[in-house]
């Protein structure tokens, strides 16, 4: 296994791709429920809006699990933590697939989310460490890419398979694949302890920066805006746009392709123009979601808007994640976990509010209206970040310029005194 220091620029260790496969499975399980809501609701005897709580429950588990598990396993062997997380992930899906109780399925989703939070926070650190400093950003992109690819491949396939096998089929498949992933993790992650210098105090100290919380706030809001709409996109497409239920997975593929394109765009533009990229993308997301209210009655425009929702919304994700990690400095573990939590606070709040809107007089237009408002509010922390960044650069320039002038003035004053 190549060491971090020995990794050459442009080449990633195989372990990074193995970890990305794990994030693919976890991204699939989080969002595949959106394509299975009618089947889940009918089989478990609840309404579609009530079944949407399965997405909210998973998000809540991630909110709690990511930082809690990151701190609880801070000094444990990384390989052991990752294998344990995948094992719990597997068992959670087995319990859900075997149960006929909605309450038990919700509980299983929460436990599965706790494991997902542990895997993500530790896996991120393992991937960037294995890749080395020259490839750390690329390794981060590959990890996030696994999550995004879940929307392109995993969610549509799971939704399509669920129409033939019932919603339990995708859950059985995820259980089997996560067990296989645990075997691969045990094979390719080196058996070593966490670094001795890891400090809980240093991790907590990194949270004092106001700009870090602005980045986390933006992450929470943009995801909440997109997922408020995406959670209930299936009934919107079938009942309002008139798209056949069998064609819904194709629209979900369009969303996933858009999300993958957004992640790539954000990764490429975010390094050079982070604030202009995120502000433009957030404003575009709000506009797309607003247009979905009057234009989602047509199958073509509805599909296009779902694609654009993924493209614009996911452009923000890699940029605010990179900003949060940059603000954290040498204490990335807790910040990585909190970034995951922030995204899932948005998912939980957005899907919960959208569910209430769906049951109100707004009906199917309620979720995109909720998403529009939340996406628009995302502009507030992003603009605050842009302003604070400009002010910070101004202070730095002033601090660097003043001594330079002093040095220039000194030689001119010395001869005059002579």
């Amino acid at each position: 296994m190549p060491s971090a220091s020995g990794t050459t620029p442009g080449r990633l260790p195989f372990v990074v791709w193995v970890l990305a496969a794990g994030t693919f499975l976890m991204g699939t399980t989080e969002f595949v429920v959106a394509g299975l809501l009618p089947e889940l609701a009918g089989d478990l005897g609840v309404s579609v809006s009530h079944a949407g709580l399965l997405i909210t429950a998973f998000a809540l588990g991630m909110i709690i699990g990511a930082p809690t598990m990151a701190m609880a396993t801070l000094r444990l062997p990384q390989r052991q933590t990752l294998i344990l997380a995948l094992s719990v992930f597997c068992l959670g899906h087995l319990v859900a697939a075997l149960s006929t109780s909605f309450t038990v399925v919700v509980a299983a989703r929460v436990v599965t989310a706790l494991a997902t939070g542990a895997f993500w926070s530790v896996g991120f650190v393992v991937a960037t460490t294995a890749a080395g400093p020259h490839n750390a950003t690329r390794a981060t992109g590959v990890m996030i890419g696994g999550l995004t690819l879940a929307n392109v491949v995993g969610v549509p396939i799971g939704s399509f398979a669920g129409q033939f096998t019932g919603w339990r089929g995708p859950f059985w498949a995820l259980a089997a694949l996560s067990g296989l992933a645990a075997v691969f993790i045990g094979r390719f992650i080196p058996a070593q302890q966490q670094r001795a210098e890891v400090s809980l105090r240093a991790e907590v100290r990194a949270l004092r920066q106001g700009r870090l919380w602005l980045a986390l706030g933006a992450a929470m809001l943009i995801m909440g805006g997109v997922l408020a709409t995406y959670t209930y996109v299936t009934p919107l497409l079938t009942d309002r746009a008139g798209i056949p239920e069998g064609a819904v997975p194709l629209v979900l593929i369009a969303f996933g392709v858009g999300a993958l394109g957004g992640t790539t765009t954000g990764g490429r533009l975010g390094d050079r123009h982070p604030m202009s990229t995120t502000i433009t993308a957030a404003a575009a997301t709000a506009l797309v979601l607003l247009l979905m209210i009057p234009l989602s009655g047509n199958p073509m425009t509805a599909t296009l808007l779902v694609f654009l929702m993924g493209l614009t919304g996911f452009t923000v994700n890699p940029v605010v994640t990179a900003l949060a990690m940059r603000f954290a400095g040498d204490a990335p573990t807790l910040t990585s976990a909190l970034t995951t939590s922030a995204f899932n606070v948005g998912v939980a709040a957005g899907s919960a509010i959208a569910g209430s809107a769906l049951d109100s007089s707004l009906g199917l237009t309620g979720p995109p209206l909720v998403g529009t408002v939340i996406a628009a509010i995302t502009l507030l922390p992003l603009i605050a970040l842009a302003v604070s960044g400009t002010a910070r650069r101004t202070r730095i320039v002033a601090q660097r310029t003043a001594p330079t002038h002093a040095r220039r003035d000194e030689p001119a004053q010395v001869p005059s005194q002579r």
Side-chain angles (χ1 to χ4, degrees):
M1 186 77 194
S3 65
S5 58
T7 303
T8 57
R11 185 177 182 182
L12 293 177
F14 183 63
V15 67
V16 175
W17 301 99
V18 174
L19 291 169
T23 62
F24 169 80
L25 293 177
M26 292 172 180
T28 299
T29 199
E30 180 167 12
F31 300 122
V32 73
V33 171
L36 300 172
L37 281 185
E39 291 84 358
L40 276 160
D43 187 51
L44 298 176
V46 297
S47 66
V48 172
S49 62
H50 201 58
L53 292 176
L54 292 171
I55 294 178
T56 305
F58 191 94
L60 289 173
M62 286 283 286
I63 294 166
I64 300 169
T68 303
M69 295 296 101
M71 293 298 95
T73 61
L74 194 61
R75 295 184 181 277
L76 294 180
Q78 295 171 328
R79 184 173 69 172
Q80 178 181 332
T81 302
L82 293 171
I83 293 175
L84 180 61
L86 283 168
S87 300
V88 173
F89 184 89
C90 175
L91 289 174
H93 282 83
L94 290 176
V95 170
L98 290 169
S99 176
T100 58
S101 167
F102 180 76
T103 302
V104 172
V105 175
V106 169
R109 290 279 289 174
V110 173
V111 172
T112 302
L114 292 174
T116 300
F119 182 92
W120 175 256
S121 57
V122 176
F124 177 87
V125 176
V126 171
T128 53
T129 301
H134 295 294
N135 290 326
T137 301
R138 187 179 170 208
T140 303
V142 169
M143 289 282 287
I144 295 176
L147 187 64
T148 307
L149 192 62
N151 288 295
V152 182
V153 180
V155 171
I157 289 178
S159 177
F160 185 74
Q163 295 179 15
F164 295 93
T165 65
W167 66 269
R168 300 176 193 276
F171 276 66
W172 283 111
L174 286 165
L177 291 173
S178 58
L180 184 62
V183 174
F184 272 83
I185 290 291
R187 170 66 178 83
F188 292 103
I189 297 286
Q192 59 186 19
Q193 298 288 333
Q194 292 271 23
R195 295 175 298 173
E197 66 267 20
V198 171
S199 168
L200 178 60
R201 181 177 299 179
E203 295 284 345
V204 174
R205 191 185 305 124
L207 305 182
R208 295 178 181 177
Q209 289 207 56
R211 292 185 301 161
L212 171 61
W213 291 102
L214 288 173
L216 292 176
M220 174 190 70
L221 289 166
I222 193 63
M223 205 63 176
V226 173
L227 265 296
T229 306
Y230 184 74
T231 298
Y232 301 102
V233 73
T234 298
L236 180 75
L237 294 173
T238 56
D239 298 344
R240 182 172 171 80
I243 295 176
E245 188 173 321
V248 169
L250 299 177
V251 182
L252 299 183
I253 290 175
F255 174 83
V257 171
L260 185 59
T263 301
T264 303
T265 301
R268 290 183 177 180
L269 299 180
D271 285 336
R272 292 170 295 179
H273 310 289
M275 300 322 305
S276 59
T277 299
T278 51
I279 290 174
T280 301
T285 302
L287 178 60
V288 168
L289 295 176
L290 180 62
L291 291 175
M292 194 171 287
I293 297 173
L295 300 180
S296 59
N298 179 277
M300 294 298 295
T301 56
T303 302
L304 176 62
L305 289 170
V306 169
F307 165 78
L308 292 175
M309 177 175 67
L311 179 66
T312 57
F314 276 74
T315 296
V316 180
N317 292 355
V319 185
V320 292
T321 299
L323 287 174
M325 298 304 296
R326 185 187 308 170
F327 298 149
D330 295 328
T333 305
L334 183 56
T335 297
S336 170
L338 286 175
T339 303
T340 302
S341 293
F343 282 128
N344 283 277
V345 168
V347 173
S351 60
I353 297 171
S356 298
L358 180 67
D359 286 335
S360 73
S361 59
L362 294 170
L364 293 171
T365 61
L369 179 60
V370 170
T372 300
V373 174
I374 298 176
I377 297 175
T378 307
L379 293 170
L380 297 179
L382 290 175
I383 292 173
L385 264 178
V387 171
S388 66
T390 301
R392 184 180 179 87
R393 286 192 296 271
T394 301
R395 287 194 297 271
I396 292 173
V397 171
Q399 291 168 0
R400 291 179 177 175
T401 304
T404 303
H405 288 178
R407 286 193 297 270
R408 289 178 179 175
D409 292 340
E410 286 172 4
Q413 294 172 356
V414 172
S416 64
Q417 291 173 353
R418 291 177 182 175

